[in-house]
Amino acid sequence: MSKKSKAGDHPAIEAHDLVKVYGENRALDGIDLTVRRGQVFGFLGPNGAGKTTTIRILATLTRPDSGTARVLGHDVISERDAIRARVAVTGQFAALDEDLTGYENLIILGRLNGLSGAAGKQRADDLLAAFELTGAAGRPVGGYSGGMRRRLDIAASLIVTPDLLFLDEPTTGLDPRSRSQVWELVRQIATAGTTVLLTTQYLEEADQLAEQIAVIDHGRIVAEGTSAQLKSRVGSGTLHVRLLDGDQRPRAQQVLAGALEGTVHLAADPLALSMLVATPADGTDVGRMVGRAMIQLAEARVGVAEVALGQPSLDEAFLALTGHTAGPTAIDHQDVSA
Amino acid sequence: MSAPAAVTRPAAAQTHQIDILLAAGRSRRRAGALAASATFGRRAMLKIKHDPKQLVDSVAIPILFTVLFTYLFGGAISGSPGDYLKFLLPGVLTMSIAIVTMYGGARLAQDVTTGAFDRFRALSVWRGAFVLGGLLSDAARYLFASAIVVALGLIMGYRPDGGAPGVLAAVALVVAFGLSLSLLWAAVALLVRDPAVVISIANVVLMPLSFASNIFAQPGTMPGWLQAFVAVNPLSHVATAARGLMSNAGGTGGSVAWSLIATAVITAVCAPLTLRLYSRRG
Ligand SMILES: Nc1ncnc2c1ncn2[C@@H]1O[C@H](COP(=O)(O)OP(=O)(O)O)[C@@H](O)[C@H]1O
Ligand SMILES: [Mg+2]
């Protein structure tokens, strides 16, 4: 964090009680947020939670109905030019000219960011090379794949290196390979000293990239902490077990409930059981805990066909953090606004 | 980064590159207002280059209007084509440009719904640059459309008494007026954000202005109320001024002045409105 001393004492983002109302719908219902400089901050929430609205307010594109926010020390309402000069936004939907080529998109943005002709061309070439888009540089963006579009969109945000980069759901809709490419880029951008505020619907993504995570639901922050802190509240993951013999399920349920101290869920499949595994308080790793449980199953002569330990899904995380699931309520909410 | 330049693993090489790139990209200068406007103008030109269909309105409308109205109304006016084109062509030029202006508004309404528009709006450049850049490319379109009208007229036998200077002056006046309309449709486009609605609104305004004017007939035979409308219709004044300039007739100073005043008034009302709508935060 060598940047910190140079860049002053302001946090990258300081938001207090942000409210945004669309008709009857409180899109943001009192958001408080502090993001330190140099951090990758994860903003995790289901569709309609208010992630994009928050980013648009912080990037000075939308005005909050009430509340205050300072970005890089500047007020989002009265000092928007100072903010705009130093932040970049990669929106949820690619912000590129579809008719223009990748190269032309970057040249235009370079000019608009004050790069001279030669410097802009050099910058465009360098970015295209670094983002592995040189081969596609001369083709209209309309023909790009989702992953290429995302990469170009992020490259466009780096035409002039921002002090703060907003990435709104950068991997939604990408295939796994493109997703890991984007993850790698985000890590590199953060390493180079740019603060990143990243929104996502995937717990795994926030876990992989963000040092600090805020969970947002219905326009409110319902939980905040490091990935480890949230996991200790959510649980490490879900254990799925499939048995060889369905008759042994009651016995397996009893053993697992005792070994892992939780409620075992009986799936519709008569051979399957699952349970949310709590993160051990004493620092024992989850693998060891699950391993012990498996040994106990073997000792009880329960035949196991398959075992899997998965990350908790966003739904499971929400259930654990808020006591309700994320999906349907969010959709109801959107219907109200329509 | 400690990775040496000779590292060949692609991932490491890439990390190295992005690191250097980000470090090198920290200096920032704000793009000047004119440079930014020119860049937006260039963007519009690049869009035309990649999708020439965008020029269809600027080509089809002048051809259609010139040929159609010349043969439709030309017969009603006595004399050779060369004679009645002297009356008709400047009006057809005026009407063609006026109609072409509304398609720019429709394109803008399309543009504002894209993510690219948000990216531009979030830039720290002069907020008028986007609008002015659009006007620059509109000016190019209107000049192009004017050239088609004049060229077709010449082919059909039109010989302007005002010569090249007269024609150029008339084209400049018509294009300037067109640009003020362009600002009006830009305001409408930013307000309604729907190309079809922009076209509808523009049609409702432009159709009566075009036909209830002196473009196709001298108002002497019209009922009084219509004459009154024709007399205050800015398109009549622009057409009269263009006619005067192209035929080098005396006494057109009044209509030229009226045209310039109309242009200035529409611009003075619409330019601030457009700018405000452009930088409006939802
Ligand atoms: N421009 C708008 N007009 C009306 N409602 C909106 C607008 N933008 C967002 N909303 C509503 O605000 C809520 C939050 O939306 P958003 O911030 O886009 O959520 P997220 O990005 O987390 O999916 C949703 O219910 C959405 O329908
Ligand atoms: Mg969103």
Side-chain angles (χ1 to χ4, degrees):
Chain A
M1 252 48 5
S2 59
K3 288 267 150 353
K4 204 170 173 186
S5 53
K6 188 181 91 185
D9 306 328
H10 314 286
I13 298 172
E14 245 180 323
H16 183 62
D17 205 17
L18 289 178
V19 172
K20 182 75 190 176
V21 181
Y22 290 111
E24 297 279 282
N25 177 14
R26 293 181 78 81
L28 298 188
D29 193 12
I31 295 279
D32 287 298
L33 200 63
T34 305
V35 176
R36 285 202 324 272
R37 292 199 189 226
Q39 214 173 32
V40 177
F41 190 97
F43 210 38
L44 174 69
N47 216 349
K51 303 181 297 293
T52 300
T53 305
T54 306
I55 284 196
R56 290 181 61 87
I57 288 174
L58 295 173
T60 76
L61 285 168
T62 296
R63 187 185 278 273
D65 292 328
S66 68
T68 56
R70 299 186 80 78
V71 172
L72 301 167
H74 301 287
D75 185 81
V76 290
I77 294 174
S78 60
E79 298 174 277
R80 69 178 179 189
D81 273 344
I83 294 173
R84 289 177 174 191
R86 293 172 59 196
V87 309
V89 192
T90 302
Q92 186 169 352
F93 305 102
L96 300 162
D97 275 321
E98 303 268 306
D99 305 342
L100 270 51
T101 67
Y103 179 74
E104 287 164 348
N105 265 284
L106 294 184
I107 290 289
I108 295 286
L109 284 167
R111 283 276 168 115
L112 292 172
N113 278 287
L115 296 182
S116 71
K121 283 180 185 155
Q122 184 65 49
R123 187 76 178 163
D125 283 335
D126 290 349
L127 281 167
L128 288 164
F131 284 68
E132 295 173 29
L133 288 166
T134 306
R139 295 211 305 270
V141 171
Y144 281 23
S145 72
M148 288 160 69
R149 222 176 264 235
R150 260 294 142 190
R151 295 209 302 280
L152 184 65
D153 209 8
I154 296 174
S157 289
L158 301 178
I159 272 282
V160 174
T161 307
D163 293 332
L164 169 62
L165 174 63
F166 294 105
L167 287 173
D168 197 5
E169 301 199 22
T171 69
T172 299
L174 295 191
D175 60 87
R177 184 170 168 274
S178 304
R179 174 169 299 180
S180 57
Q181 276 182 328
V182 169
W183 284 0
E184 195 46 43
L185 287 172
V186 173
R187 291 195 186 100
Q188 290 164 18
I189 291 164
T191 306
T194 292
T195 309
V196 178
L197 177 78
L198 161 112
T199 77
T200 179
Q201 301 195 31
Y202 308 112
L203 188 63
E204 187 196 0
E205 183 159 282
D207 185 23
Q208 283 281 329
L209 298 174
E211 296 151 51
Q212 183 81 9
I213 299 170
V215 182
I216 180 173
D217 183 33
H218 290 151
R220 289 172 169 278
I221 296 205
V222 293
E224 193 182 335
T226 61
S227 178
Q229 285 166 342
L230 289 181
K231 275 187 175 169
S232 70
R233 292 179 60 184
V234 171
S236 297
T238 308
L239 178 69
H240 298 272
V241 178
R242 250 176 87 84
L243 305 177
L244 289 167
D245 177 359
D247 292 344
Q248 291 188 321
R249 196 156 76 151
R251 172 126 200 83
Q253 183 179 12
Q254 199 186 348
V255 171
L256 288 176
L260 295 170
E261 291 168 19
T263 313
V264 179
H265 177 69
L266 299 178
D269 175 353
L271 292 174
L273 313 88
S274 67
M275 75 183 296
L276 207 59
V277 182
T279 303
D282 58 4
T284 329
D285 68 284
V286 181
R288 194 181 295 238
M289 270 176 62
V290 171
R292 263 193 232 130
M294 290 302 113
I295 291 169
Q296 287 182 30
L297 279 182
E299 284 168 350
R301 304 211 169 276
V302 175
V304 173
E306 281 170 28
V307 187
L309 182 64
Q311 285 267 347
S313 66
L314 184 59
D315 270 345
E316 287 164 336
F318 262 82
L319 195 58
L321 291 169
T322 66
H324 67 84
T325 49
T329 35
I331 289 165
D332 288 349
H333 222 67
Q334 281 187 313
D335 285 346
V336 172
S337 76
Chain B
M1 262 337 301
S2 56
V7 167
T8 48
R9 263 181 55 228
Q14 195 198 8
T15 307
H16 189 56
Q17 230 176 338
I18 288 180
D19 214 43
I20 293 174
L21 261 179
L22 290 182
R26 291 215 179 262
S27 79
R28 61 190 91 244
R29 262 163 291 132
R30 201 161 179 263
L34 281 180
S37 308
T39 305
F40 281 119
R42 179 161 163 217
R43 165 178 176 261
M45 290 301 164
L46 284 170
K47 279 179 168 260
I48 294 173
K49 184 183 127 196
H50 288 292
D51 184 16
K53 285 196 300 297
Q54 289 198 11
L55 272 182
V56 165
D57 49 81
S58 314
V59 175
I61 288 171
I63 294 178
L64 190 72
F65 282 14
T66 310
V67 174
L68 191 69
F69 292 134
T70 301
Y71 291 113
L72 196 63
F73 297 108
I77 307 167
S78 58
S80 66
D83 289 336
Y84 58 70
L85 275 170
K86 278 181 185 159
F87 173 76
L88 212 47
L89 197 91
V92 167
L93 172 70
T94 306
M95 181 173 169
S96 300
I97 301 305
I99 297 295
V100 166
T101 61
M102 65 187 188
Y103 293 94
R107 266 188 299 272
L108 178 63
Q110 180 65 47
D111 221 5
V112 301
T113 59
T114 63
F117 179 71
D118 262 349
R119 195 190 278 282
F120 296 142
R121 249 163 34 102
L123 289 169
S124 70
V125 296
W126 174 54
R127 66 197 175 126
F130 183 84
V131 175
L132 186 56
L135 288 184
L136 289 174
S137 84
D138 285 344
R141 281 170 188 276
Y142 302 164
L143 287 172
F144 183 64
S146 303
I148 292 175
V149 174
V150 173
L152 278 178
L154 292 173
I155 291 169
M156 292 189 294
Y158 174 59
R159 294 294 172 265
D161 297 327
V167 172
L168 289 178
V171 166
L173 187 78
V174 171
V175 168
F177 179 71
L179 290 175
S180 73
L181 288 181
S182 187
L183 274 172
L184 172 62
W185 310 138
V188 172
L190 289 167
L191 202 61
V192 303
R193 295 172 154 253
D194 181 340
V197 176
V198 175
I199 293 285
S200 304
I201 293 175
N203 264 316
V204 166
V205 175
L206 288 177
M207 283 306 157
L209 286 181
S210 299
F211 290 104
S213 73
N214 64 4
I215 289 178
F216 300 109
Q218 290 295 9
T221 59
M222 298 175 185
W225 59 270
L226 193 53
Q227 287 193 26
F229 180 81
V230 170
V232 294
N233 179 351
L235 275 191
S236 300
H237 291 289
V238 177
T240 307
R243 220 172 261 147
L245 291 167
M246 288 167 96
S247 61
N248 199 21
T252 51
S255 29
V256 171
W258 268 116
S259 304
L260 291 176
I261 289 169
T263 302
V265 169
I266 298 173
T267 303
V269 172
C270 296
L273 188 63
T274 305
L275 281 191
R276 173 167 304 190
L277 289 168
Y278 173 75
S279 48
R280 167 180 67 162
R281 291 196 271 185

